[in-house]
Amino acid sequence: MKIYKLGEEVLRKKALPVKEEEINDSLRETFNEMFETMLEADGVGLAAPQIGDSRRYFVIISDDEIRRVFINPQIVATSNDLCDYDEGCLSLPGFNETIKRPSKVTVQALNENGKPFTLEADGLLARIIQHEYDHLEGIVYIDRGDPQIAAEITEKMKKRLERSAKKEAEKAKKAAKIAAKIAAKEAKKASK
């Protein structure tokens, strides 16, 4: 799966709820692919907008190694005590920043089978839930940190996206040239 990067529009949109009839085998397969993609990228969470889907769901694996799926999550309570943690994100590869968040959180959601659950979390699990929930709101972790650092990272990511788009365009142009040469050779052979 492609992981969308900062600068791509889907990451800044507020995601829409998943409809009950959309919780099916196809979506469950998407969750499995998300877990694989996340683990390959050495991540601990992945939200739907990060794979280009503007719906409200995410998957996580915290330090307890349990695979968790959250569909239409709602954070219903957070602690008053805050803690700092050096956060990174698969949509902002190579960047980290210390972010202050509530140390405990209570979330209500549906699991991969559409069954409701409530989870009280603390530590790393609480941090990951809040980080992934932010993605559903169109927020990335740098929005919660130093505005100057956010501006610098945003500019660097913009340049990366531009370089990547330019490379993709060059690849497509080369592929089209090669395809045209092959077609010309085939046409020449066919006319003999």
Side-chain angles (χ1 to χ4, degrees):
M1 292 182 125
K2 173 187 174 183
I3 298 176
Y4 285 69
K5 305 293 189 278
L6 182 66
E8 295 183 89
E9 196 177 312
V10 69
L11 291 178
R12 291 304 194 173
K13 285 183 180 176
K14 187 168 180 169
L16 300 171
V18 176
K19 296 177 184 142
E20 190 176 324
E21 63 271 14
E22 295 173 327
I23 303 171
N24 54 31
D25 287 342
S26 175
L27 189 59
R28 283 185 279 277
E29 182 55 37
T30 298
F31 300 147
N32 289 333
E33 289 176 36
M34 288 174 75
F35 278 119
E36 285 177 31
T37 300
M38 178 189 80
L39 291 169
E40 281 176 23
D42 205 22
V44 292
L46 191 61
Q50 292 179 277
I51 60 162
D53 186 355
S54 198
R55 290 186 291 168
R56 299 185 73 80
Y57 62 87
F58 58 80
V59 301
I60 65 173
I61 300 177
S62 187
D63 47 1
D64 59 8
E65 299 294 319
I66 297 171
R67 290 178 177 226
R68 291 184 172 92
V69 173
F70 295 76
I71 302 171
N72 297 335
Q74 291 183 303
I75 292 179
V76 294
T78 57
S79 62
N80 290 328
D81 55 311
L82 304 174
C83 63
D84 290 336
Y85 191 84
D86 193 37
E87 286 190 34
C89 181
L90 297 177
S91 293
L92 289 86
F95 298 102
N96 291 72
E97 185 180 359
T98 300
I99 302 296
K100 192 177 291 289
R101 293 188 188 267
S103 60
K104 295 180 182 174
V105 66
T106 303
V107 62
Q108 293 177 337
L110 302 175
N111 69 12
E112 63 274 14
N113 297 311
K115 301 283 185 253
F117 69 93
T118 300
L119 177 67
E120 292 180 18
D122 60 6
L124 183 60
L125 181 57
R127 169 81 45 179
I128 300 168
I129 290 167
Q130 292 172 81
H131 178 109
E132 299 308 326
Y133 184 85
D134 275 355
H135 278 300
L136 306 182
E137 297 295 312
I139 297 168
V140 292
Y141 77 92
I142 58 173
D143 298 339
R144 299 197 177 278
D146 181 322
Q148 186 174 344
I149 293 172
E152 290 169 11
I153 292 173
T154 301
E155 187 58 32
K156 287 177 183 175
M157 288 298 297
K158 181 181 173 189
K159 287 179 181 171
R160 278 188 194 174
L161 271 179
E162 288 168 356
R163 282 193 304 271
S164 179
K166 189 176 177 182
K167 281 182 184 175
E168 288 301 315
E170 288 170 4
K171 275 186 194 175
K173 194 174 176 181
K174 281 181 184 176
K177 267 186 177 179
I178 291 168
K181 283 182 181 179
I182 292 170
K185 281 183 180 179
E186 293 297 319
K188 196 173 183 180
K189 277 184 190 176
S191 67
K192 288 185 179 179

